[in-house]
Amino acid sequence: MMFEIASLIVVNLVIAATIGFIAGYMIAKSKANKIDSIEGTATQREVNPDAKTKSAINPIFRKNSQLDFKPLVLSSPRPIGKDNLKKIKGIDSKIEIDLNSLGIYHFEQISKWSSKNCDWIEEFLHFPGCAKNNQWVDQAKILQSGKETIYSQKVENGEIEVD
């Protein structure tokens, strides 16, 4: 009697393990297809940044940068809206789009970057020296305080067109 009960338990465990394996395989396969379609959407957005599609994968995971020095990012801009990052010398429309897709929307975020954060951003953008050489952090501190730089005034007045 004891042997029959034990054998039934073993048979049930084998059946449960088989069902679990099949279900896990199907779930993993459907998630892999979903990730492939999301990455395709992200590639489409890189080609056409005005595309009205949503991407669930943060672009930092497609880069080789060390995550240890990634600056503070937000999931979306504050309710008052995002800052015009093009008012910082060295940031054009493309870089602003890249920063926004990363989760950087405000002067305050940039004003708090360390030297290692700048290194991380430069590596992420594949644009060495852009943040440090153009003194993004210093400019962001001025703009975040409500003041303007000479460069930001020229952008504001339309004297400099940043594309």
Side-chain angles (χ1 to χ4, degrees), residues 28-86:
K29 188 169 179 117
S30 72
K31 285 189 178 191
N33 289 341
K34 187 182 285 186
I35 288 172
D36 288 344
S37 69
I38 289 171
E39 286 177 350
T41 302
T43 304
Q44 178 186 8
R45 178 177 284 145
E46 289 167 4
V47 172
N48 181 6
D50 296 328
K52 299 289 182 192
T53 57
K54 291 185 179 180
S55 176
I57 295 180
N58 194 315
I60 64 168
F61 297 118
R62 294 191 304 266
K63 303 290 182 176
N64 294 326
S65 304
Q66 281 189 318
L67 291 177
D68 296 344
F69 303 116
K70 182 183 85 155
L72 175 68
V73 296
L74 302 173
S75 58
S76 64
R78 295 187 186 108
I80 58 171
K82 62 183 185 170
D83 293 331
N84 181 3
L85 300 181
K86 293 178 286 194

Side-chain angles (χ1 to χ4, degrees), residues 111 137-149:
S111 71
V137 174
D138 295 333
Q139 291 181 69
K141 286 178 182 177
I142 293 168
L143 294 167
Q144 187 257 333
S145 72
K147 299 177 184 172
E148 296 285 333
T149 64

